[in-house]
Amino acid sequence: MPELAEVAYYIKQWDPGMDKPVKEVHLHSQKRVFRGVDCGKLVKGLTGASLRERRQNGKQMLFKFTGGAWLGVHLGMTGKLRSVPRSDYIPEKHDHLVLRQAGLSLLFNDFRLFGRIRYDETDDPDEPPDWWQQLPPEIVDDNWDRTFLSKFLKRHVQAPLKSVLLDQEGFPGVGNWMADEILWRAKLHPEMRPGQLNREQEKRLFEACKWVCREAIATIGEDYRDPPEDWLFRHRWRDGGKCPATGKALRSKKVGGRRTVWSPPRQRLPRK
DNA sequence: GGAGATGTTTCAAG
DNA sequence: GCTTGAAACATCTC
């Protein structure tokens, strides 16, 4: 599931465990989600440590623990975070990481294993690991501005807009449905190329990115509530869906290897 | 049984 | 060295 807004929702699910020590760590160390992680070090570092803080950047999450321990989580395609109010919760098949606290278990579940756990320890407990510091600015941040967008588009003049929007270096947190939602709102065809955009169209793209990210966080990110009916989101999932703006049939096809939905009369491909 | 799924990484070609 | 596109990853659902 998870894109920016879903991640904003899931990251809060561990809040009940804030400021409580971890008594015990359970994990499926042989699973792909732990690729590159020293699981022994993780268990040692988190046992007895308290959860202090959570941070989000796009689809990336970082949990700060006492003692300079940092747990990074990416939900991939099917990852989920949740907590259950009991310390003796028995992990199910796809519960790959369980942090047990007093009367509480924090879970990471991912059946498809495209998610990823990271673990780092830093000397300065207030200094996040390097990989975190190198992430691009979030779209809702002021540092993600017209200049940033413009530079990024110049580096990708040829690729379809849809593919460019899915690039986490430029549009952190945007996933398949958000990319379609942004293009729909900006009235741009998913197969247009950044090199074809005029000033007005680039401005529309910028505004749509900001708006969709903000509003998605306020609805889905808040309590997993669906966005309003006038979003493409509400109509894109089923065949035969109609554009909420024009009432005309939506079209779909693969663009850049991903299923893409758009509204033909509203999002036109420019004539060569 | 086959295809497809709200994602990232890796590899090869241009 | 860069951009681009396709395949691989692992499991469940339709």
Side-chain angles (χ1 to χ4, degrees):
Chain A
M1 297 198 155
E3 304 182 24
L4 179 66
E6 287 92 355
V7 173
Y9 172 81
Y10 281 120
I11 196 171
K12 293 189 286 198
Q13 304 309 306
W14 278 11
D15 281 1
M18 210 54 82
D19 296 317
K20 292 182 188 162
V22 174
K23 298 199 301 183
E24 199 183 350
V25 178
H26 266 265
L27 48 73
H28 299 153
S29 61
Q30 75 291 358
K31 291 296 184 183
R32 221 180 97 82
V33 292
F34 291 103
R35 55 197 179 273
V37 174
D38 181 341
C39 287
K41 192 174 166 192
L42 185 159
V43 172
K44 213 170 150 214
L46 291 189
T47 305
S50 290
L51 177 56
R52 278 286 186 257
E53 211 179 293
R54 58 164 156 87
R55 303 184 189 185
Q56 177 182 357
N57 182 306
K59 298 174 191 172
Q60 304 279 355
M61 290 179 273
L62 186 65
F63 293 93
K64 178 188 181 186
F65 289 80
T66 50
W70 302 86
L71 185 74
V73 181
H74 192 292
L75 298 174
M77 203 90 121
T78 52
K80 289 179 173 57
L81 294 184
R82 64 195 182 98
S83 60
V84 294
R86 51 188 302 170
S87 54
D88 61 348
Y89 172 82
I90 297 172
E92 291 173 8
K93 187 175 169 193
H94 303 301
D95 292 324
H96 303 305
L97 178 65
V98 180
L99 305 180
R100 295 190 195 287
Q101 298 175 315
L104 191 69
S105 295
L106 308 179
L107 315 178
F108 166 74
N109 179 289
D110 182 12
F111 69 79
R112 217 171 147 189
L113 301 176
F114 288 180
R116 181 172 177 189
I117 298 289
R118 302 186 195 234
Y119 179 72
D120 295 277
E121 291 175 4
T122 57
D123 296 332
D124 179 352
D126 290 322
E127 174 104 345
D130 287 345
W131 66 268
W132 181 264
Q133 303 197 45
Q134 285 161 15
L135 295 173
E138 291 213 83
I139 293 176
V140 293
D141 197 286
D142 286 346
N143 290 329
W144 198 92
D145 56 14
R146 291 292 302 276
T147 309
F148 179 90
L149 173 63
S150 209
K151 268 194 196 159
F152 191 77
L153 293 179
K154 282 202 181 74
R155 275 175 46 202
H156 302 276
V157 283
Q158 292 261 35
L161 270 180
K162 172 64 182 269
S163 307
V164 176
L165 277 164
L166 290 175
D167 189 332
Q168 300 300 294
E169 288 296 312
F171 301 86
V174 171
N176 204 31
W177 74 256
M178 284 182 87
D180 287 355
E181 190 76 42
I182 288 166
L183 291 171
W184 177 78
R185 195 152 295 265
K187 300 183 184 173
L188 298 171
H189 194 286
E191 289 179 299
M192 268 186 88
R193 317 279 147 161
Q196 298 175 304
L197 295 181
N198 62 34
R199 238 190 122 58
E200 168 60 23
Q201 291 171 320
E202 190 175 313
K203 180 163 182 283
R204 290 212 306 265
L205 178 61
F206 178 82
E207 302 293 348
C209 286
K210 292 280 185 187
W211 197 88
V212 167
C213 288
R214 249 195 330 261
E215 297 299 317
I217 291 168
T219 53
I220 298 173
E222 185 54 32
D223 52 13
Y224 229 87
R225 177 175 79 248
D226 280 346
E229 270 288 324
D230 61 354
W231 281 47
L232 178 64
F233 180 89
R234 297 287 292 271
H235 308 267
R236 58 165 290 134
W237 307 108
R238 59 180 193 282
D239 290 338
K242 298 229 166 42
C243 171
T246 66
K248 302 258 177 65
L250 296 170
R251 287 266 294 280
S252 84
K253 74 182 260 198
K254 287 222 175 207
V255 179
R258 306 296 300 278
R259 181 179 161 78
T260 298
V261 177
W262 79 100
S263 173
R266 178 182 168 93
Q267 300 165 265
R268 284 181 214 276
L269 213 44
R271 291 187 304 274
K272 297 266 165 56

